[in-house]
Amino acid sequence: MKPVWDDGVWAGLPALEGHVDADLCVVGLGGSGLSAVAEGIRLGASVAGVDAGAVAAGAAGRNGGFLLAGPADAYHRAVARLGRERAAAVYRLTLDELDLMARQDPDLVRRGGSLRIAASSAEEADCERHLAALRDDDFNAERYDGPEGTGLLFPDDGATNPLARARRLADAVRRDGARLFERSPVTTLTGTSVTTAAGRVQCDHVVVAVDGGLEVVLPELAGRVRTARLQMLATAPTDEVTLPRPVYARWGYDYWQQLPDGRIALGGCRDRFVDDEWTLDAAPTEPVQAALERILREQLHVTAPITHRWAASAGFAPDLEPVLEEVRPGVFACGGYSGTGNVLGAVYGREAARLALGLS
Ligand SMILES: Cc1cc2nc3c(=O)[nH]c(=O)nc-3n(C[C@H](O)[C@H](O)[C@H](O)COP(=O)(O)OP(=O)(O)OC[C@H]3O[C@@H](n4cnc5c(N)ncnc54)[C@H](O)[C@@H]3O)c2cc1C
């Protein structure tokens, strides 16, 4: 059940016990929450962060490791949904975030681009529209035809070990003075008080940075965010294939990348079991795992043994618009990245901290 990213060396952090004061309390210590913590510290606030489990033990440390520019939908659809100016602004913000990630963690971020591979002639036509819209706004993309199939190459994208990045960021913000607590599920929260199983943070502002399960922490957001389970598997190192960059296939429903040591990490198939996968349960299931295994064996022709199978929860927004708002007085929420929160979540987490501290 452990993700392939887990090297097992995280020592863990204490649970919150008793009473702590802070200017800002961040709930959720995935990539988005840690970005909020880092921004709060950068702005001079005293920051406490709490997580029900461990740092990046949710989707942030159990995902596919793709670092993608842009919002969840393909750029031409984002333009239709948001308007050209806003879609371009979001795209630029995520490109800036990718640059920052590559500067901060050059050993953990591989910036070799990503592929969108079409599964049908209709999807190939969609790739053409996708390409035209990106080029109209001077973003980098090119047609691709290679061993993985036909589609588009986005040269600015990248891949990472998301759990290692998050843990490193947690270490960095702690060195800068943030107080982070694991195994501290929040039971009640207002804009000035966050109560956990065994403690309380008294604060001036709160950011809730939870993607999957956001509507449980803040029931007001039911309908705005819906939680789905996403599943993955990974193999032993193999040289049966060489995949220099992560691949998004079949309208993005299936995805895989080859890690630097040769392992294949592969996820997807949610759409094939969609009724079962709208769930808060984050345990892998046999039918989805069998479908993933078929892609591995029959599409990628990889026979290497499967060493890891795992799942996690992610928040999906029906309109693909992530949440970023004050939900209760003094309580700002971000989440609902619809399956693409590694880069977008860092942008939204930072912005949520700025909003909470009255700076945006
Ligand atoms: C299998 C899978 C593959 C994915 N692949 C990719 C990918 O390749 N690229 C990409 O960009 N995105 C991908 N995503 C989506 C991405 O992982 C998420 O959008 C992103 O990690 C969300 O980060 P986060 O910090 O907002 O939320 P999370 O990582 O979900 O962190 C939220 C934290 O809040 C904590 N929490 C929840 N409730 C409480 C509570 N009551 N009290 C205290 N703490 C609480 C949780 O324990 C958790 O640690 C994938 C998701 C999954 C599940």
Side-chain angles (χ1 to χ4, degrees):
M1 302 275 260
K2 273 193 177 175
V4 70
W5 316 115
D6 196 347
D7 60 10
V9 299
W10 181 246
L13 300 174
L16 176 62
E17 284 174 12
H19 176 186
V20 161
D21 288 314
D23 298 327
L24 174 67
C25 179
V26 175
V27 177
L29 297 175
S32 315
L34 290 167
S35 173
V37 171
E39 184 67 0
I41 293 282
R42 197 185 69 79
L43 293 169
S46 66
V47 184
V50 295
D51 198 288
V55 163
R62 304 176 74 82
N63 65 60
F66 287 44
L67 297 176
L68 304 174
D73 39 357
Y75 190 65
H76 56 308
R77 279 188 282 281
V79 168
R81 179 169 61 85
L82 299 172
R84 192 166 168 185
E85 203 175 318
R86 183 139 183 263
V90 173
Y91 207 89
R92 267 187 229 106
L93 279 173
T94 53
L95 285 175
D96 290 347
E97 192 69 37
L98 272 155
D99 289 344
L100 179 68
M101 289 174 164
R103 277 200 306 278
Q104 280 175 340
D105 294 309
D107 55 327
L108 291 177
V109 173
R110 288 172 286 130
R111 200 82 188 272
S114 76
L115 293 175
R116 175 185 174 188
I117 295 298
S120 62
S121 53
E123 193 176 355
E124 281 180 27
D126 193 68
C127 284
E128 285 299 313
R129 293 189 286 276
H130 191 167
L131 177 66
L134 284 167
R135 286 190 169 163
D136 279 352
D137 286 340
D138 293 327
F139 294 124
N140 293 326
E142 52 200 74
R143 289 189 187 84
Y144 180 83
D145 193 9
E148 298 90 341
T150 302
L152 299 177
L153 165 60
F154 308 103
D156 295 317
D157 288 349
T160 191
N161 174 332
L163 182 57
R165 275 203 71 248
R167 285 175 171 173
R168 190 181 286 178
L169 181 54
D171 284 338
V173 295
R174 288 180 69 226
R175 278 195 302 275
D176 290 342
R179 287 154 296 161
L180 306 186
F181 302 95
E182 297 184 333
R183 292 170 284 110
S184 303
V186 169
T187 50
T188 55
L189 63 90
T190 69
T192 54
S193 175
V194 174
T195 306
T196 65
R200 186 162 59 89
V201 181
Q202 197 68 40
C203 52
D204 297 328
H205 319 275
V206 175
V207 166
V208 177
V210 172
D211 189 27
L214 181 58
E215 75 276 30
V216 178
V217 183
L218 294 169
E220 302 91 314
L221 291 171
R224 296 279 308 285
V225 177
R226 193 175 180 196
T227 297
R229 172 171 54 201
L230 273 64
Q231 305 199 30
M232 297 197 68
L233 56 73
T235 70
T238 178
D239 57 6
E240 296 170 288
V241 290
T242 303
L243 301 168
R245 46 183 85 79
V247 177
Y248 250 116
R250 200 173 60 82
W251 304 95
Y253 282 118
D254 304 328
Y255 45 92
W256 53 85
Q257 64 153 312
Q258 190 163 28
L259 311 190
D261 66 0
R263 293 175 184 275
I264 307 291
L266 181 150
C269 296
R270 185 178 71 90
D271 60 311
R272 296 187 167 151
F273 302 88
V274 74
D275 291 338
D276 295 334
E277 298 306 291
W278 287 123
T279 174
L280 292 165
D281 182 359
T285 62
E286 199 280 327
V288 175
Q289 289 292 322
L292 294 176
E293 198 165 339
R294 276 196 296 280
I295 295 177
L296 179 75
R297 306 297 187 213
E298 295 167 18
Q299 199 173 329
L300 272 65
H301 304 291
V302 167
T303 65
I306 293 169
T307 53
H308 298 75
R309 296 180 187 274
W310 73 95
S313 299
F316 283 74
D319 57 0
L320 296 180
E321 189 60 25
V323 170
L324 177 62
E325 66 197 40
E326 188 172 12
V327 176
R328 296 176 190 169
V331 177
F332 291 78
C334 59
Y337 308 112
S338 301
T340 55
N342 277 343
V343 181
L344 210 54
V347 172
Y348 274 73
R350 182 178 307 116
E351 191 56 24
R354 296 181 64 80
L355 280 171
L357 293 168
L359 289 163
S360 277

